[in-house]
Amino acid sequence: MTLSGIGVSPGVVVGQIHRIKHAVIDTPVPASPREVFAALDAVATDLEHASQTVSLDVAREVLGAQAMIARDPALVEAIGARLLDDITYPDVRDAITEAFSGFRDALLSIGGYFAERVADLDEIKDRSIAKLSGADSHIASLKTPSIVIASDLTPADTAALDLNFALALVVEKGGPTSHTAIVARGLGIPAIVGCSNILTVDDSAQLLVDGREGTVIVNPSDDDFASRHTRESALRARAAAVSGPGRLSDGTPIPLMANAGNEQDAIAGVAAGAEGIGLFRTELLFLDRQTEPSVDDQVALYLRVFEAMAGRKVILRTLDAGSDKPVPFLNAVTEENPALGVRGWRLTRIANEVLERQLEAVGIAAQQTQADVWVMAPMIDTAQEAAEFANRARAHGIKHVGVMIETPAAALLADKVIAEVDFASLGTNDLTQYVMAADRLDSRLSDLTSTWHPAVLRAIHTAATSATNLSAPIGVCGESASNPQLAAILVGLGVTSLSMAPSAISEVRGYLAGLDRATCVHAASLVLNASSAQEAKDIASKILGD
Ligand code: PEP
Ligand code: MG
């Protein structure tokens, strides 16, 4: 049996299961208000203790934040108010759940990163109720190397388990920015999130986890393991053998760049050998800002990233606020359908001055740095939008202006859109979501949100061909660039540079160094005629090899 989810950290392992079960309290809990407050206090103390003892930085921060929430007077007051009303809430579980739900809804309505933090809040509630009912919320620590499976891995689990024994993490819920994904990448172990049926697997089963493909094979054969293990070892060996700028075996340069959201990412990019930053996501600097930063503040923030990249290219993206990346000072209005709403460059319709001030700040910062600053706008749909952006950016002295191609409209009409600018960058995360009409954050649709789908590959091909005809560079800065085989297909489709998480650069460099352009073009021409993502992958494996 093969299960699938979203691979969020690569690697292949086989091992026994270590299941994390969170206590489910399904009978009423008799407790006085005093006992409820004592339970909440005890949960906060447990979390504080865990935050002091856990070794992973990311878990320590989340546990500390959770302890603060558990002691938040607003939460305690909300619970207290409901406990007084024992007619509406005869069962204290309902009083507690209802009190948490106000805070929960607030996070969900912000969406994106904040919505994924709902799991942290739910955990405090569940632990409080478990504490009151006397249920054992103790997590058995890992004593032998095992594959950890759970509905979701909470920060408290991370503290209780000894994750040094974790071979891999597979969870039913979660998304690419969930706690499980962050912890796994930090530990360098394979991980899969959104694996819907993982909890149906018997405890006695052996699992093979392929964190690159996002697949779990239950009771695998030796061959299943051997073929995947060979692929991973070959990728690592090739990565170790090649250094320097990205190029194909025939010498064709394919610059390999890093995606960055702040100065630390830029530094990590340089350390990983990135030739520049192919996507500087400026909105990530402002996710927690209630008010717009001044032009001077913005200049200082951008300069920090530029300085880390002195002498190299930086492609800065103007604010892509909205949908999965809401920024409080820009996205105050709740939208029916935020992915299709006023996000990215479309914000000029409601907050034109904010985008104008950003361009002003970028123009000033670009003059003050040794970095080679290029600027692009996200969510461009039409040639008119591209022209408007280009005029406005050039008016601020920005020399290289470009657009992201991440909507089907922009890809289909790329000859007109790219003609207005100097370069383009394919945002394959959104392009895949929009071509397939499948939410990129919904793990139940992970089979649809694959850039390997030939429909998406054809959209990429259309855009890349237009760019080639216009002699305009066209990169890819979506997640797809970090998959070595897919990276080779993208090059075969006409893409001229790739930008990815710094951790992926060396494997992509090593893989591309073993292929010439003719092979990439041949493989690309064949995958365009596949009828499914799986068929496209199989063709790529056959032509390009593992
Ligand atoms: C993309 O859509 O592929 C992209 C790179 O932009 P983001 O993931 O920030 O939306
Ligand atoms: Mg995007």
Side-chain angles (χ1 to χ4, degrees):
M1 183 169 62
T2 302
L3 310 175
S4 63
I6 306 170
V8 289
S9 183
V12 173
V13 289
V14 170
Q16 298 297 331
I17 292 175
H18 181 92
R19 184 186 303 261
I20 298 184
K21 277 201 214 105
H22 296 115
V24 179
I25 314 301
D26 46 16
T27 49
V29 177
S32 67
R34 184 198 302 266
E35 286 165 326
V36 173
F37 295 130
L40 204 58
D41 187 57
V43 168
T45 307
D46 286 352
L47 291 165
E48 275 153 6
H49 178 70
S51 78
Q52 282 149 15
T53 48
V54 69
S55 56
L56 276 173
D57 289 349
V58 46
R60 185 177 317 122
E61 278 166 29
V62 181
L63 287 160
Q66 280 185 312
M68 279 166 68
I69 297 172
R71 294 202 190 282
D72 186 338
L75 179 68
V76 175
E77 195 186 315
I79 295 176
R82 286 167 180 82
L83 290 174
L84 289 177
D85 179 3
D86 57 4
I87 305 224
T88 317
Y89 304 106
D91 181 351
V92 298
R93 286 179 311 164
D94 297 336
I96 296 173
T97 305
E98 189 63 25
F100 271 87
S101 72
F103 298 87
R104 209 175 182 277
D105 292 348
L107 282 178
L108 280 177
S109 71
I110 307 176
Y113 173 84
F114 290 95
E116 287 205 12
R117 303 283 77 77
V118 158
D120 301 342
L121 205 58
D122 288 346
E123 194 194 6
I124 307 171
K125 173 190 65 100
D126 292 343
R127 286 170 76 96
S128 307
I129 295 175
K131 196 66 100 194
L132 277 172
S133 74
D136 183 10
S137 61
H138 175 73
I139 303 292
S141 67
L142 267 179
K143 300 247 166 23
T144 51
S146 316
I147 293 169
V148 176
I149 68 169
S151 165
D152 206 355
L153 190 71
T154 69
D157 300 334
T158 317
L161 289 161
D162 184 350
L163 283 176
N164 291 320
F165 279 122
L167 295 173
L169 309 176
V170 184
V171 299
E172 188 186 31
K173 298 189 181 140
T177 58
S178 61
H179 183 69
T180 306
I182 295 167
V183 164
R185 286 190 212 114
L187 290 168
I189 57 175
I192 299 176
V193 300
C195 189
S196 355
N197 292 320
I198 191 62
L199 296 180
T200 62
V201 175
D202 199 86
D203 274 343
S204 62
Q206 224 194 18
L207 300 183
L208 180 156
V209 178
D210 184 337
R212 191 180 299 279
E213 273 189 3
T215 47
V216 177
I217 303 183
V218 183
N219 295 323
S221 67
D222 288 348
D223 281 354
D224 288 329
F225 178 69
S227 59
R228 286 176 165 77
H229 187 259
T230 309
R231 180 199 67 205
E232 284 301 306
S233 314
L235 279 170
R236 284 177 195 174
R238 287 198 217 176
V242 184
S243 58
R247 59 183 67 248
L248 301 177
S249 63
D250 56 17
T252 308
I254 306 291
L256 302 177
M257 328 260 281
N259 290 351
N262 54 33
E263 188 189 2
Q264 286 76 35
D265 294 347
I267 293 168
V270 173
E275 290 160 65
I277 290 180
L279 169 63
F280 173 13
R281 290 181 162 109
T282 55
E283 65 283 350
L284 300 188
L285 293 170
F286 307 128
L287 288 182
D288 57 354
R289 297 251 186 164
Q290 299 301 323
T291 52
E292 181 195 350
S294 68
V295 169
D296 287 349
D297 285 351
Q298 291 190 52
V299 170
L301 283 167
Y302 303 147
L303 274 175
R304 280 165 54 179
V305 172
F306 295 168
E307 288 318 300
M309 283 284 154
R312 295 183 171 84
K313 180 161 150 185
V314 176
I315 304 182
L316 176 146
R317 177 174 76 182
T318 56
L319 290 165
D320 186 23
S323 190
D324 58 319
K325 298 178 287 289
V327 170
F329 67 83
L330 271 170
N331 306 101
V333 180
T334 311
E335 293 180 295
E336 274 297 309
N337 211 338
L340 301 181
V342 184
R343 60 169 292 204
W345 183 247
R346 298 171 181 187
L347 284 160
T348 48
R349 293 160 195 252
I350 57 164
N352 190 37
E353 292 305 310
V354 177
L355 275 297
E356 187 60 22
R357 283 189 285 272
Q358 183 180 34
L359 288 175
E360 182 188 345
V362 174
I364 296 170
Q367 310 258 310
Q368 297 180 7
T369 175
Q370 301 299 314
D372 177 19
V373 179
W374 296 34
V375 182
M376 65 182 178
M379 285 298 289
I380 291 291
D381 232 4
T382 66
Q384 288 73 19
E385 287 172 341
E388 188 205 329
F389 168 70
N391 285 335
R392 290 177 57 174
R394 287 187 182 122
H396 286 284
I398 294 160
K399 296 205 179 58
H400 303 281
V401 299
V403 289
M404 288 195 71
I405 303 285
E406 48 187 351
T407 71
L412 288 170
L413 228 59
D415 53 339
K416 309 290 182 206
V417 173
I418 300 176
E420 301 292 343
V421 290
D422 307 315
F423 72 97
S425 183
L426 285 148
T428 50
N429 304 335
D430 276 314
L431 186 59
T432 304
Q433 139 163 290
Y434 295 129
V435 168
M436 302 305 293
D439 184 346
R440 62 192 263 185
L441 294 179
D442 191 335
S443 51
R444 295 167 305 176
L445 305 177
S446 56
D447 57 324
L448 292 177
T449 47
S450 165
T451 305
W452 279 105
H453 200 288
V456 184
L457 298 173
R458 287 189 190 188
I460 294 170
H461 186 230
T462 303
T465 306
S466 300
T468 309
N469 293 340
L470 290 161
S471 304
I474 182 163
V476 167
C477 61
E479 289 299 310
S480 60
S482 61
N483 176 316
Q485 268 183 351
L486 193 44
I489 295 293
L490 294 170
V491 167
L493 291 172
V495 163
T496 55
S497 67
L498 299 163
S499 187
M500 63 203 83
S503 56
I505 291 179
S506 71
E507 282 183 4
V508 172
R509 183 198 287 123
Y511 192 73
L512 293 182
L515 298 166
D516 60 17
R517 173 175 283 290
T519 308
C520 295
V521 170
H522 175 56
S525 69
L526 295 180
V527 295
L528 286 178
N529 279 315
S531 57
S532 68
Q534 190 55 51
E535 193 186 334
K537 278 190 207 175
D538 291 345
I539 293 170
S541 290
K542 196 159 151 232
I543 308 289
L544 303 171
D546 285 329

